[in-house]
Amino acid sequence: MTLTTWLVLALVALSVGVSKSALPGLSTLGVALIATVMPAKESTGLLLLLLLCGDLVAVSSYWRQADWRLLSRMLLPVLGGVLVGVVFLARVDDLVMRRTIGAVLLALLAVRAVRWFVDRRSARRAERDAAQDGSGDAGAADTADMPVAVVASVPAGEPAAQRPHLGVGAVYGTLAGFTTMVANAGGPVMSLYLLSVGATKLRFMGTAACFFFATNLVKLPFSIGLSLVTVDTLRTALVLVPLVLLGAVIGRRLLRSIDQKLFERLVIGLTITASIFLLR
């Protein structure tokens, strides 16, 4: 491989580490970057190995904050999505694969934007009604501009995420399984799901860490069977593992300095950027 290829791979490995410890969705940018220097299917296998390394670090750091109730609701839909992804991966070329993932992510973002707008209007209307009845309080103004899903994470203590509708969990679970199988791009789907149920920063990281560790382990035998993971990709991954660990250290320090609202905005911004990359 050329020096340029190794530099890109080094950047991807760092981004995987940071994504697993601070900014979920950043690794999807790695999907786009690595595909510029390697064939898409070969790059998928290499990235899977790097992600598994990052998963080990993330699980060891955040597993105590995982929301197991949310994870249990997604188990069967995710497995179904992975199986659909295996069939899809065996039948389509790289271009169709990338564009399909990008289109799905943008559609989910559009749905979230509509929901945010509706929730914001509902919150403001409730605030006005409460003020007219003389029952408004000073705290209402602080959350009026926030979506209902985010307001749910405001109370003191360690709030639980909202109870998701079973149908919503099934849709997100299936899409997460499908997108992570075909392009290691399940991060943005899972991010949108966790934001939609109001998961706090640490609960977000813990739930995502356990979800992707389990999912990537399930994907590994399929990836070997499809020749996405080979001896060559394993050797390359071993060279890049130290950079994944370095990225994880950087990410953990970064997470401590990011507040909840900035965290959510960064996640959404990275999801949009990744979607556009995949559609190119």
Side-chain angles (χ1 to χ4, degrees), residues 99-263:
R99 289 182 175 176
T100 299
I101 303 302
V104 168
L105 293 178
L106 288 177
L108 289 173
L109 284 166
V111 171
R112 176 172 171 78
V114 171
R115 178 179 174 178
W116 179 85
F117 179 75
V118 171
D119 285 349
R120 184 177 180 181
R121 291 191 62 183
S122 297
R124 285 183 168 176
R125 188 179 300 113
E127 181 193 5
R128 286 196 301 268
D129 292 344
Q132 290 172 359
D133 293 339
S135 59
D137 58 72
D142 294 333
T143 58
D145 290 336
M146 298 170 64
V148 170
V150 177
V151 173
S153 66
V154 170
E158 182 63 23
Q162 293 181 19
R163 182 179 297 274
H165 189 279
L166 285 175
V168 173
V171 170
Y172 275 101
T174 302
L175 288 175
F178 174 77
T179 53
T180 195
M181 184 66 231
V182 302
N184 292 310
V189 177
M190 191 63 177
S191 295
L192 292 177
Y193 177 62
L194 292 175
L195 289 180
S196 74
V197 298
T200 57
K201 189 170 60 174
L202 288 177
R203 181 161 287 141
F204 186 117
M205 296 302 303
T207 306
C210 293
F211 172 83
F212 283 110
F213 181 56
T215 303
N216 287 333
L217 282 179
V218 170
K219 288 161 50 182
L220 186 58
F222 292 112
S223 298
I224 294 172
L226 291 168
S227 297
L228 302 180
V229 173
T230 64
V231 174
D232 288 339
T233 55
L234 178 59
R235 289 172 180 164
T236 304
L238 290 174
V239 174
L240 297 170
V241 163
L243 291 172
V244 175
L245 300 179
L246 175 61
V249 172
I250 294 171
R252 289 188 66 178
R253 293 182 178 179
L254 181 64
L255 186 67
R256 288 195 290 266
S257 64
I258 300 176
D259 65 26
Q260 181 71 24
K261 292 181 73 173
L262 177 59
F263 176 79

Side-chain angles (χ1 to χ4, degrees), residues 53-73:
C53 176
D55 288 332
L56 288 172
V57 177
V59 168
S60 67
S61 300
Y62 301 118
W63 69 270
R64 291 181 181 83
Q65 284 78 35
D67 190 325
W68 299 102
R69 178 172 55 86
L70 288 179
L71 290 172
S72 65
R73 286 170 175 262

Side-chain angles (χ1 to χ4, degrees), residues 6-58:
W6 278 112
L7 289 174
V8 171
L9 293 180
L11 183 58
V12 169
L14 279 171
S15 72
V16 167
V18 174
S19 74
K20 291 298 182 180
S21 58
L23 294 174
L26 184 61
S27 61
T28 310
L29 292 178
V31 173
L33 283 174
I34 200 171
T36 64
V37 294
M38 298 177 69
K41 291 188 177 181
E42 182 182 343
S43 68
T44 298
L46 175 58
L47 194 56
L48 174 60
L49 297 176
L50 297 178
L51 290 169
L52 276 168
C53 176
D55 288 332
L56 288 172
V57 177

